[in-house]
């Protein structure tokens, strides 16, 4: 996890910066297969989360749709989309750093823990975390990243006037 956090931190301040980094590692040997960052903005694709990109690249590199025998490491607890993909891909284990609640302080999140998705599936996967939580939370709090995340969070809550099909969101609560 420290190596993944360092990989992610090294890209802060670049055009591809993101606090979300992910790696697929061979479970038995610890051999790195591939690692990627979130690229939602760069690819204009809401599914381009670090975990999805990493698992796609790993499957291509391995030449098969299964990641059995592999562990997914991620700097933040996988969202439901990413955790579902990990289950479908058959990863042995998911290890995460920051929690969904940690990330929610900086960006919008779907508050369904990874262990909950695993519990509700009929696929086996060990979920471990948080691991190196402080180091992974620090990725969100790095000044350049924090500024970018604040702008992103604001844009998600208040889309520009005239955005087709989107109205500004009303605050939740009483």
């Amino acid at each position: 996890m420290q190596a993944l956090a360092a990989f992610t931190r090294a890209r802060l301040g670049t055009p591809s910066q993101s606090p979300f980094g992910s790696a697929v590692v061979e479970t038995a040997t610890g051999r790195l297969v591939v690692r990627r960052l979130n690229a939602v903005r760069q690819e204009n694709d809401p599914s381009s989360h670090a975990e999805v990109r990493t698992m796609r690249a790993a499957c291509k590199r391995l030449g098969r749709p299964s990641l059995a025998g592999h562990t997914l490491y991620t700097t933040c607890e996988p969202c439901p989309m990413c955790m579902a993909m990990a289950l479908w891909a058959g990863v042995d284990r998911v290890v995460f750093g920051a929690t969904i609640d940690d990330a929610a302080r900086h960006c919008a999140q779907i508050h369904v823990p990874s262990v909950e998705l695993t519990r509700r599936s009929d696929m086996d996967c060990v979920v471990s975390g948080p691991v190196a939580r402080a180091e992974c939370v620090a990725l969100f709090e790095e000044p350049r990243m924090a500024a970018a995340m604040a702008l992103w969070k604001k844009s998600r809550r208040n889309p520009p006037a005239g955005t087709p099909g989107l109205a500004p969101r009303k605050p939740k609560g009483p």
Side-chain angles (χ1 to χ4, degrees):
M1 185 60 76
Q2 285 77 17
L4 179 60
F7 166 80
T8 305
R9 183 177 299 102
R11 279 132 190 95
L12 296 179
T14 70
S16 61
Q17 74 176 359
S18 173
F20 300 100
S22 183
V24 168
V25 172
E26 197 172 80
T27 301
T29 65
R31 181 185 67 86
L32 175 68
V33 176
V34 68
R35 60 187 172 197
R36 296 285 187 270
L37 296 176
N38 179 305
V40 168
R41 291 229 181 248
Q42 295 88 338
E43 296 177 2
N44 293 312
D45 179 350
S47 71
S48 288
H49 289 199
E51 299 91 338
V52 168
R53 295 181 75 236
T54 302
M55 288 185 280
R56 284 178 180 159
C59 287
K60 285 180 184 175
R61 182 164 291 163
L62 296 169
R64 60 182 188 192
S66 172
L67 293 175
H70 293 82
T71 298
L72 176 70
Y73 287 87
T74 180
T75 58
C76 187
E77 184 174 3
C79 73
M81 173 184 70
C82 295
M83 190 61 213
M85 184 171 174
L87 291 167
W88 288 118
V91 299
D92 300 340
R93 183 173 172 217
V94 171
V95 180
F96 67 87
T99 66
I100 288 174
D101 289 337
D102 293 331
R105 289 195 299 276
H106 305 280
C107 58
Q109 290 295 311
I110 299 172
H111 296 268
V112 179
S114 297
V115 293
E116 178 67 14
L117 247 58
T118 301
R119 187 183 68 76
R120 289 175 172 245
S121 82
D122 55 2
M123 294 166 259
D124 292 326
C125 181
V126 174
V127 177
S128 303
V131 172
R133 183 179 185 183
E135 195 170 345
C136 292
V137 168
L139 296 168
F140 289 94
E141 296 170 347
E142 196 275 346
R144 293 167 295 186
M145 193 71 257
M149 295 302 284
L151 286 172
W152 181 81
K153 189 173 186 177
K154 183 179 178 184
S155 73
R156 295 286 300 158
R157 299 220 183 274
N158 298 303
T163 302
L166 293 178
R169 295 184 185 186
K170 295 178 182 167
K172 293 181 182 178

